[in-house]
Amino acid sequence: DGLLVFRYTAEEARIWKKHGISVVNLSSESPGNVAHFPRVTLDNYATGRMAADHLMSLQLQNYAVVVDENRIYSKQRAQGFSERLEQAGKSARIISIPTSKFPPASRADRNLQTAMLALSKLPLPCGIFCKDDLCAVWIIRALHHIGLRVPQDVAVVGYDDIPLAPFAWPPLTTVRTDPVGHGRLAVQ
């Protein structure tokens, strides 16, 4: 018996430890960035590198990465993306959107407004790597709002391969994950 958790509080960690509950953290984040429990996560740096490789295969000259500086996984993915581009003699424009700090009631509108402002300044054509698929969906929406075409003007890559990905317009290019395999590894 035990728990598989994703983002927990210090108080939860204290209670679980007090009661001797086995816990595996499935997030790259933990309270105070202290590893209270064993962690099973994906290689976020490799994810960023894979996205960069894909976008470079399209022979684009301009690149950007959308990052939430308040989330470790997001920063790691952006770092992997930027480092791979640098190895190829290219660079990425950083688009920082602190979505996790926006109040839930206004998050969608704030994401869209912040994205439209940043995206309107991109050199074209451009390839954008988004921190996850939900981010990629609202980035595509923001691009449409400012009159840019996907993928003709801007190629967009997300991460997670969420069920919504094929229903985005155009269908989202995404770095696929293996959540079932990830869960199995955590249980072991």
Side-chain angles (χ1 to χ4, degrees):
D1 290 352
L3 296 173
L4 299 179
V5 298
F6 187 83
R7 293 198 189 126
Y8 57 91
T9 65
E11 178 63 12
E12 288 168 330
R14 186 189 67 71
I15 291 169
W16 296 332
K17 283 182 177 185
K18 177 182 174 183
H19 293 285
I21 298 172
S22 296
V23 175
V24 176
N25 181 12
L26 299 177
S27 173
S28 54
E29 301 178 13
S30 57
N33 291 325
V34 175
H36 299 97
F37 306 107
R39 180 180 301 180
V40 175
T41 60
L42 303 169
D43 186 339
N44 289 311
Y45 297 100
T47 298
R49 290 190 297 270
M50 290 184 338
D53 287 340
H54 171 72
L55 289 172
M56 285 191 294
S57 77
L58 302 177
Q59 300 184 355
L60 300 165
Q61 295 304 310
N62 303 298
Y63 302 91
V65 59
V66 181
V67 62
D68 181 340
E69 299 283 349
N70 301 298
R71 293 287 181 216
I72 292 170
Y73 77 90
S74 180
K75 292 190 293 186
Q76 291 171 340
R77 291 173 189 171
Q79 184 177 348
F81 182 79
S82 296
E83 287 174 358
R84 175 66 93 216
L85 288 174
E86 287 170 13
Q87 290 170 352
K90 302 178 185 312
S91 64
R93 178 174 290 193
I94 306 298
I95 299 174
S96 182
I97 301 179
T99 188
S100 62
K101 295 295 184 185
F102 294 150
S106 64
R107 186 170 292 156
D109 287 336
R110 301 264 314 262
N111 285 340
L112 185 63
Q113 294 304 316
T114 306
M116 288 191 309
L117 179 62
L119 296 170
S120 67
K121 300 172 184 171
L122 288 178
L124 300 176
C126 187
I128 299 177
F129 174 46
C130 298
K131 66 184 185 73
D132 55 41
D133 283 352
L134 288 177
C135 171
V137 168
W138 49 262
I139 287 296
I140 290 172
R141 183 171 179 224
L143 289 164
H144 288 298
H145 274 280
I146 62 173
L148 295 177
R149 301 167 302 156
V150 176
Q152 297 88 339
D153 299 320
V154 181
V156 177
V157 175
Y159 175 81
D160 288 329
D161 196 24
I162 61 172
L164 174 69
F167 299 103
W169 188 252
L172 183 59
T173 298
T174 182
V175 176
R176 182 168 294 190
T177 63
D178 180 14
V180 174
H182 189 207
R184 280 191 191 113
L185 183 60
V187 169
Q188 293 172 357

